[in-house]
Amino acid sequence: MKTLIRIICLVLMIVSFIAYIARASAFPIASANLLPWSLWFFLFAFANILLWQRVMKLLSFSLLVIWFYAFTASIVPETSTAKLDLSSIERTPDAFVEAGEAIFKGKGKCLTCHTLDPSAPKGRCPDLTGIGTRAATRKPGMTAKEYFIESAYEPEKFLVPGYGKIMPPVWKAPISLSNLEIETVIAFLQSQGGEVDLTPFEPPVDTGSAAVGVEVLPPILTGDPDRGKNVFVNGAKCVACHNVAGLEKPIDQTLDEGVEVVAAPELTDIAALNSLRYIEESILKPNAEIVSGYGSASVRVGGAAVQGTLVSQDSEQMVLRIKAPDGSETERTILFSELEPEPIEELVNLKEKGYFWVQATPADATAPISGELVEEDEESITLKVGDETQTISKSDVKVQVTVTTFDDDEPIVGELVSETDDEVILNVDGAERTIDQFDVDTMESSRAFGKRLAVTSPMPSNFPQLLSVADMNDLLAFLTTLTGEAAGETAAAAEGAEAAEPVPAE
Amino acid sequence: MMSLTRRFLPANSRKRSYAVLVLLIAYALLLVLPAFAQQDVGDTEYRPFPKIGSRNAAWIAAQLHLLFGSFILGVPMFAVVIEFVGMRTKDLRYDRMAQEFIKLCMAAFSTTALLGGVLVFVLMWCYPKVMNKMTGIFGPTMIFYVFLFFGETFTLYLYSYAWDKMQNRKGWHLFLGVLLNIFGTAIMFVSNSWLTYQTSPSGIDEETGNFIGTTWEAVNNFTWMPINIHRFIGNIAFGGSIVAAYAAFRFLVATSREDREHYDWMGYTGNFIALCGLIPLPFAGYWLGREIYQFNQTMGINMMGSLFSWLFIIQAVMIGVLFIGANYYLWSGMGRIEGAEKYARYRPYMAAIIAVCVAIWMTPRSLIATPQEVAAMGGRYHPLVGLFGLMTAKNTVVNLIILTTFLSFLFYRRLGKTPIVGWAKIGNIAIAIIFGFAVIAIVSIGVAGFRVVTDFRINTLTPIQVFIALFVMISVTIIDLIMYRRAMVSGTINWGKMTDRSQYVLILLAITFTSLMGLMGYARSGLRENWHIFGVMPDTSPDSFTPRLSDAVNIIAVIMVIFFALVGFIFWIGLLGEKKEGNRSTH
């Protein structure tokens, strides 16, 4: 009888173990919550340990330990990167928002760095509560949806002040969201206080390229951090402008002629907030990415050029910190509407050059068209005129020419009709005027006029020429050690043992 | 070679070894086959594996192969050392134990090869395009692997079967053992290059995604050497724990006093070896983690702060079990030595220290909480418990756990001996002072760690803590060795006088080691997410995502059951063979 009981207990233990692992539905007489298979297994395993001796006792004990670890790991919060089947998703706001939320919290792992709770402590990346309404004001000339698209595909193009360049393009490895998945996430973000716009869009980058996902880094950082520190302090004299906690600025700092000490970003935690690639790029190409609040801006207002540090901007105005000759600084608010249009000679890469408003005259029009620069490709530009958009062909605009001659003091301004080796014919106020090339002193042509906000880095761009390869390696090695106290979580993550930011369960 | 084999191997062993050899050659050929079959793949990307799916099939085969592989690579390392100790001390017990270890290794060797063959079959069938790509890059290393594999096989067979014959030529026999370990380590290094390349590929053309580097560049990728070192140490710890579990099993089923004595001693040695591997393992893991973070920041954040963050809490639970279990075993062992009462009174305090330290280690950085709970805590991080989640607290308690475990071992070592040197009292005071200052220093540095910049903590304070712990272990060991060199034996060790409970602890440790390996294998592989080769070759199969932790642990549990069933079967077969030989010698 005792043997029979033992065998029954053994069989039931094995069955309940298999049922638990296979996630079988509940035992016939009870619900899964009341008497789950884990409980049955535990009871039978315990009974077997008491009933059996030697080998079977060992087997029961071993199974109990294996089950214990499986059970413990199954009760902690977890997230899934499983793909949602979006092949038959309805193109409705509700369906997109629902799918987008699942991807935002799951495969996209956005909550690793972002939060959706305004009361939460500052995370690695901005809190996204209400981003649906706020997004439209992030960048001048950009709608909320355009901002979301740029943030997903090219997050490095705009950094929210106070945050580092940490967000990876979500279409790249390891997040690797598809275009449709990104669309759903954008819909979810738009639903955070804004209206969901499901208009299809073209990704701004070629996501189909085979190698775009990999970030190839040098295999090993061969530089010496101590020598790099010397380069930082005495060689490149970075310490003159950049502050690093624990590094004092030498009193007898001698700078090369023409190098000005300017406000520059704090670097105490640069390595915790940014990738090695970003740090390297910041040295070699300082204008590629400029930290908010540290860019040098130059604009034309009231007939004069105004230069200063761009402190902040929104869709209507900007604030510049302007340094007076006596060293004092004042802040000046400038409306974008106040900026004076500048002539644009070639309609190429207008957005990259900082143009946000353009005025041009199509060849078949009598009056110029002006508005916010919405889109630009190789062949055309699209302007937002009132509530509508108008596309103008770049090769089909009237060219405005300003000619000064040796004979007249006043320049002659008109539309270019034709130009040969002998003469230039302009249309000035409806009347054609021919000017002999022999008389032309200067001639400037412009295909359009535009307002722009050009922001450049005050950091010298000649470090690649100043620094040897060895110095550069050493400097990089030093900068990668700057993980800073504020970046404790990020740096600690590198240490290999701290679970810094558990992700809430779905 | 054949004459050598004939000379050293008994007839029945020769037959068995020929059969296994044929199996191994078949495996070797199977392994190298994909390198010659690249044109036949065509456009087939994936083929489904029936019932359980391709990923699960490859996962189970790979993990089982890895577990057996770890065992057969780890065991010869300490077998050679034990044999060397036996030769130097002229104590035949060591020699016999080393031989028994190698017998276990032999039994597992053919299973490892068999599972390797299964793995190659599964990969070739289910992932032809991936295998095509990998063999295109690593073809030369696969051929090299086959040569190494033959080297490993022949040296293992010679080392094992020639053991008795070469008793008078121990130096040469040890040389064979060293050669075996060189082959084994080289095999591991080569195969590690394949899997680490998948995680951190190098030699890639950024524009086209094509591989443009040399084979060496592919091999020497970002995570290759950290994995090599991590696995090298891990194999020793794992091998020791499995040997200890085997000894525990034999102890529990033993019917004679001699057997109980022998397997008690063997279990103690296995556990000691496992502990020696376990202590430096966290440092190797730390290096690997840093390298992953350096390779790709997002991957690093996914590992520690996102997708796998809770996995590392489970890891802490398991490592906590390992340390508590290992200490418990040492304390139980005090019962077999006369005069243990002197040190037994410290056990509750040491247990309390380890329990508190493990609890701190297991504390997550932030807890999942409702808004009300967050408000009640006064923030997202609990004002007190939240501090324990920080790395400085964890580093501190890890060092304290290691020192407490070392103290347990020190007490254990001293049992049954009375020092006769005149300065014994001063020596003990010196040891107490070293321990006392070390604990104060480690804790003070840990507290200071909350207030300094992370850079300073990681690069200065943490290494100082580690060096203090190492200093204590080295200096105290030296003092203790000198103090007890000619100690008077005041109590004998009664081998075999151990509780059954302590043997279950050895089995618990072996299962925990194995589960830990399975769990970390999931983390390492899962980091790639939906890529076969990270950033280069996307996984477009239905399995192109990282499974949830709860799903992964179920697969790991299945692997554990299969592994221990196979290990049990192999050991049982070995037991039958022993009985048969015993009966024959009796008759």
Side-chain angles (χ1 to χ4, degrees):
Chain A
M1 186 61 186
K2 195 177 176 185
T3 309
L4 185 66
I5 293 171
R6 281 175 170 177
I7 291 170
I8 290 170
C9 269
L10 187 70
V11 171
L12 287 174
M13 178 187 73
I14 293 169
V15 167
S16 54
F17 181 82
I18 293 169
Y20 172 76
I21 294 294
R23 298 177 191 278
S25 52
F27 202 60
I29 60 166
S31 73
N33 292 333
L34 185 65
L35 290 171
W37 283 112
S38 51
L39 182 66
W40 285 115
F41 169 77
F42 182 77
L43 291 173
F44 287 127
F46 204 73
N48 275 288
I49 288 170
L50 294 176
L51 289 171
W52 288 94
Q53 294 297 321
R54 298 185 174 209
V55 178
M56 287 305 165
K57 190 172 191 163
L58 261 175
L59 170 77
S60 308
F61 174 75
S62 302
L63 268 186
L64 188 65
V65 176
I66 292 170
W67 167 84
F68 169 74
Y69 290 129
F71 179 73
T72 309
S74 69
I75 57 173
V76 298
E78 61 182 357
T79 190
S80 168
T81 64
K83 279 194 295 191
L84 287 179
D85 182 11
L86 298 178
S87 57
S88 56
I89 188 170
E90 281 183 46
R91 209 167 180 85
T92 62
D94 286 348
F96 265 55
V97 168
E98 187 186 349
E101 183 175 7
I103 293 167
F104 182 88
K105 293 175 177 172
K107 185 183 174 187
K109 298 182 284 293
C110 311
L111 283 176
T112 301
C113 301
H114 291 284
T115 51
L116 273 173
D117 175 6
S119 64
K122 185 182 174 185
R124 294 187 184 100
C125 296
D127 180 66
L128 296 180
T129 313
I131 189 67
T133 46
R134 212 164 52 247
T137 62
R138 282 278 202 228
K139 281 186 83 173
M142 258 195 182
T143 63
K145 182 150 184 174
E146 286 164 345
Y147 175 72
F148 285 132
I149 293 169
E150 184 184 274
S151 299
Y153 288 93
E154 302 166 289
E156 72 284 356
K157 282 201 164 178
F158 177 78
L159 300 180
V160 176
Y163 292 91
K165 186 184 173 185
I166 192 170
M167 178 163 158
V170 296
W171 54 277
K172 280 188 178 181
I175 298 174
S176 318
L177 297 187
S178 69
N179 291 329
L180 185 57
E181 286 171 329
I182 292 173
E183 263 195 276
T184 63
V185 173
I186 289 176
F188 169 66
L189 293 174
Q190 285 178 316
S191 74
Q192 301 301 302
E195 277 188 25
V196 178
D197 170 15
L198 294 185
T199 314
F201 61 87
E202 280 295 314
V205 292
D206 177 15
T207 57
S209 174
V212 285
V214 70
E215 185 181 7
V216 180
L217 293 172
I220 298 165
L221 262 182
T222 51
D224 176 44
D226 290 334
R227 286 203 301 266
K229 190 174 172 182
N230 188 42
V231 175
F232 188 85
V233 176
N234 302 314
K237 297 188 173 64
C238 315
V239 76
C241 301
H242 291 285
N243 186 42
V244 171
L247 269 189
E248 287 185 16
K249 293 176 192 288
I251 298 168
D252 59 345
Q253 183 69 252
T254 50
L255 295 171
D256 294 338
E257 197 178 336
V259 175
E260 189 187 357
V261 176
V262 293
E266 166 90 25
L267 298 185
T268 303
D269 55 359
I270 181 81
L273 294 173
N274 298 284
S275 66
L276 174 64
R277 174 58 55 91
Y278 172 74
I279 298 171
E280 190 181 13
E281 184 188 72
S282 300
I283 300 170
L284 297 175
K285 299 176 187 171
N287 285 320
E289 217 46 66
I290 299 164
V291 178
S292 294
Y294 293 99
S296 182
S298 177
V299 292
R300 284 193 68 82
V301 184
V306 179
Q307 196 162 5
T309 303
L310 181 66
V311 177
S312 64
Q313 67 177 94
D314 59 22
S315 58
E316 292 180 353
Q317 60 186 27
M318 71 180 103
V319 178
L320 293 187
R321 191 189 305 118
I322 298 160
K323 198 170 185 178
D326 63 356
S328 62
E329 289 184 331
T330 52
E331 286 193 356
R332 177 173 169 184
T333 302
I334 299 169
L335 297 172
F336 285 114
S337 57
E338 287 181 71
L339 298 184
E340 290 175 5
E342 303 169 24
I344 305 172
E345 194 172 347
E346 290 295 333
L347 295 175
V348 180
N349 297 334
L350 296 181
K351 281 204 163 187
E352 280 182 21
K353 290 173 185 168
Y355 286 100
F356 60 89
W357 180 93
V358 173
Q359 183 184 62
T361 311
D364 55 354
T366 51
I369 298 169
S370 60
E372 277 180 26
L373 178 63
V374 178
E375 210 173 300
E376 180 191 9
D377 57 30
E378 285 183 4
E379 292 174 355
S380 63
I381 53 172
T382 304
L383 303 180
K384 189 177 179 187
V385 184
D387 292 335
E388 294 179 350
T389 56
Q390 286 196 25
T391 301
I392 303 169
S393 170
K394 283 183 177 179
S395 60
D396 202 21
V397 291
K398 289 179 179 173
V399 180
Q400 195 83 6
V401 176
T402 305
V403 178
T404 55
T405 63
F406 295 108
D407 301 331
D408 296 322
D409 290 337
E410 288 292 313
I412 306 160
V413 181
E415 287 165 15
L416 182 70
V417 178
S418 66
E419 182 185 7
T420 63
D421 291 343
D422 300 326
E423 58 187 20
V424 178
I425 303 173
L426 300 182
N427 183 343
V428 182
D429 298 331
E432 284 192 0
R433 182 165 171 186
T434 303
I435 306 163
D436 198 315
Q437 287 278 20
F438 190 73
D439 295 331
V440 173
D441 181 9
T442 63
M443 186 169 83
E444 286 178 359
S445 62
S446 61
R447 292 177 170 270
F449 289 85
K451 293 181 184 181
R452 69 169 169 162
L453 174 60
V455 186
T456 55
S457 170
M459 185 164 139
S461 57
N462 59 345
F463 280 119
Q465 288 79 44
L466 291 176
L467 296 178
S468 67
V469 174
D471 283 349
M472 187 68 182
N473 271 338
D474 293 339
L475 182 60
L476 274 176
F478 169 65
L479 291 172
T480 54
T481 65
L482 302 179
T483 49
E485 190 177 20
E489 283 174 31
T490 312
E495 294 185 37
E498 179 178 11
E501 290 289 315
V503 178
E506 287 177 283
Chain B
M1 179 60 74
M2 291 304 284
S3 62
L4 200 66
T5 317
R6 222 172 265 130
R7 190 172 160 192
F8 286 120
L9 304 188
N12 60 338
S13 295
R14 272 210 301 274
K15 279 181 191 170
R16 197 168 56 202
S17 64
Y18 290 150
V20 175
L21 209 59
V22 170
L23 188 73
L24 297 176
I25 291 169
Y27 166 57
L29 288 173
L30 198 62
L31 187 87
V32 79
L33 268 180
F36 301 104
Q38 294 171 29
Q39 302 308 316
D40 298 331
V41 175
D43 291 331
T44 310
E45 277 193 89
Y46 305 102
R47 296 190 194 97
F49 194 92
K51 300 288 180 193
I52 59 172
S54 298
R55 175 164 62 189
N56 288 343
W59 188 348
I60 292 169
Q63 189 63 54
L64 284 172
H65 176 61
L66 192 83
L67 291 171
F68 274 98
S70 293
F71 180 71
I72 63 161
L73 294 183
V75 170
M77 288 182 207
F78 51 78
V80 169
V81 175
I82 292 171
E83 189 190 5
F84 178 72
V85 172
M87 188 182 82
R88 297 290 295 178
T89 59
K90 303 203 186 308
D91 187 342
L92 272 178
R93 288 182 311 156
Y94 287 106
D95 195 70
R96 281 197 212 111
M97 186 162 66
Q99 190 177 13
E100 196 164 359
F101 286 169
I102 289 298
K103 277 183 184 170
L104 294 179
C105 195
M106 286 290 291
F109 190 72
S110 47
T111 313
T112 311
L114 190 71
L115 286 165
V118 171
L119 174 62
V120 176
F121 262 134
V122 170
L123 291 175
M124 281 170 66
W125 170 257
C126 298
Y127 300 98
K129 207 158 185 174
V130 180
M131 289 301 282
N132 187 25
K133 178 104 176 167
M134 291 297 284
T135 49
I137 297 167
F138 287 101
T141 68
M142 289 173 175
I143 292 165
F144 182 52
Y145 181 93
V146 171
F147 281 111
L148 291 172
F149 187 75
F150 278 119
E152 162 96 357
T153 308
F154 289 128
T155 46
L156 176 64
Y157 273 69
L158 277 177
Y159 185 61
S160 174
Y161 287 121
W163 199 290
D164 295 327
K165 296 266 182 185
M166 290 180 79
Q167 279 297 336
N168 296 327
R169 279 176 282 179
K170 264 294 169 200
W172 282 106
H173 191 253
L174 277 168
F175 172 72
L176 273 179
V178 172
L179 200 63
L180 168 65
N181 279 299
I182 291 171
F183 277 124
T185 307
I187 278 183
M188 184 185 71
F189 277 30
V190 171
S191 51
N192 282 351
S193 70
W194 308 334
L195 60 99
T196 52
Y197 177 82
Q198 285 187 276
T199 304
S200 54
S202 51
I204 306 292
D205 178 13
E206 269 190 275
E207 296 300 319
T208 62
N210 293 330
F211 177 72
I212 53 168
T214 61
T215 306
W216 171 244
E217 279 175 322
V219 168
N220 189 25
N221 62 71
F222 227 78
T223 53
W224 182 54
M225 199 43 79
I227 284 269
N228 286 339
I229 302 301
H230 195 55
R231 284 193 164 172
F232 182 83
I233 302 168
N235 288 347
I236 296 172
F238 179 67
S241 75
I242 295 293
V243 163
Y246 167 75
F249 167 71
R250 295 295 300 264
F251 180 93
L252 289 169
V253 298
T255 49
S256 69
R257 190 171 61 86
E258 289 76 18
D259 276 0
R260 282 175 76 88
E261 284 176 7
H262 176 70
Y263 288 111
D264 181 17
W265 183 53
M266 190 175 177
Y268 164 77
T269 310
N271 185 53
F272 176 71
I273 292 163
L275 261 180
C276 289
L278 177 64
I279 287 174
L281 209 50
F283 304 119
Y286 171 85
W287 180 32
L288 176 60
R290 275 191 86 101
E291 289 299 307
I292 288 172
Y293 207 90
Q294 289 262 317
F295 169 69
N296 187 294
Q297 193 180 25
T298 313
M299 195 187 257
I301 291 174
N302 270 349
M303 179 175 69
M304 299 305 300
S306 172
L307 196 57
F308 297 99
S309 60
W310 274 95
L311 179 143
F312 282 89
I313 298 299
I314 303 299
Q315 184 210 35
V317 172
M318 289 179 171
I319 295 176
V321 168
L322 288 178
F323 274 108
I324 292 172
N327 276 281
Y328 176 81
Y329 180 78
L330 284 175
W331 299 333
S332 294
M334 290 180 176
R336 62 161 97 90
I337 305 172
E338 291 165 10
E341 304 76 24
K342 188 176 165 187
Y343 296 108
R345 59 192 161 137
Y346 297 113
R347 287 187 300 200
Y349 305 109
M350 291 195 288
I353 289 171
I354 292 176
V356 170
C357 289
V358 167
I360 291 174
W361 194 357
M362 282 164 26
T363 306
R365 173 72 182 99
S366 61
L367 302 167
I368 305 303
T370 62
Q372 291 79 12
E373 287 167 337
V374 169
M377 280 197 294
R380 199 166 164 205
Y381 308 122
H382 189 277
L384 178 62
V385 178
L387 290 177
F388 296 156
L390 289 172
M391 202 58 209
T392 184
K394 290 174 193 292
N395 281 339
T396 304
V397 296
V398 167
N399 283 294
L400 293 181
I401 290 173
I402 289 172
L403 283 185
T404 311
T405 306
F406 175 69
L407 190 63
S408 285
F409 182 72
L410 193 72
F411 286 164
Y412 183 86
R413 227 185 73 78
R414 288 175 159 210
L415 292 176
K417 294 176 198 162
T418 307
I420 54 169
V421 291
W423 50 274
K425 197 170 181 181
I426 297 171
N428 279 332
I429 291 170
I431 287 174
I433 289 172
I434 290 173
F435 262 104
F437 271 112
V439 169
I440 291 168
I442 287 171
V443 173
S444 304
I445 291 170
V447 173
F450 289 112
R451 300 176 180 280
V452 298
V453 291
T454 311
D455 175 39
F456 181 66
R457 179 169 56 77
I458 292 172
N459 295 319
T460 307
L461 295 188
T462 302
I464 289 175
Q465 281 182 317
V466 172
F467 283 124
I468 290 172
L470 285 174
F471 170 75
V472 172
M473 288 193 277
I474 293 168
S475 60
V476 169
T477 302
I478 291 170
I479 296 171
D480 206 61
L481 278 174
I482 298 170
M483 202 194 300
Y484 280 81
R485 198 166 48 173
R486 291 195 181 86
M488 190 174 67
V489 176
S490 55
T492 52
I493 304 175
N494 298 308
W495 290 112
K497 196 184 163 192
M498 278 290 270
T499 59
D500 283 0
R501 210 164 40 238
S502 64
Q503 304 305 305
Y504 280 97
V505 167
L506 291 182
I507 288 161
L508 168 74
L509 294 180
I511 296 173
T512 306
F513 262 118
T514 318
S515 301
L516 194 54
M517 285 175 71
L519 193 72
M520 299 323 288
Y522 155 66
R524 184 193 54 71
S525 192
L527 279 176
R528 295 199 311 269
E529 297 195 39
N530 52 344
W531 297 87
H532 292 304
I533 301 170
F534 183 75
V536 176
M537 189 178 191
D539 179 354
T540 54
S541 73
D543 294 326
S544 62
F545 62 94
T546 302
R548 291 183 307 179
L549 183 58
S550 57
D551 295 326
V553 290
N554 277 5
I555 297 286
I556 293 165
V558 171
I559 292 168
M560 295 300 105
V561 170
I562 298 172
F563 175 71
F564 281 103
L566 283 173
V567 166
F569 178 72
I570 291 165
F571 290 168
W572 178 64
I573 293 284
L575 205 64
L576 285 182
E578 270 182 37
K579 279 181 184 170
K580 205 174 172 182
E581 276 182 25
N583 290 339
R584 198 180 295 141
S585 60
T586 311
H587 290 298

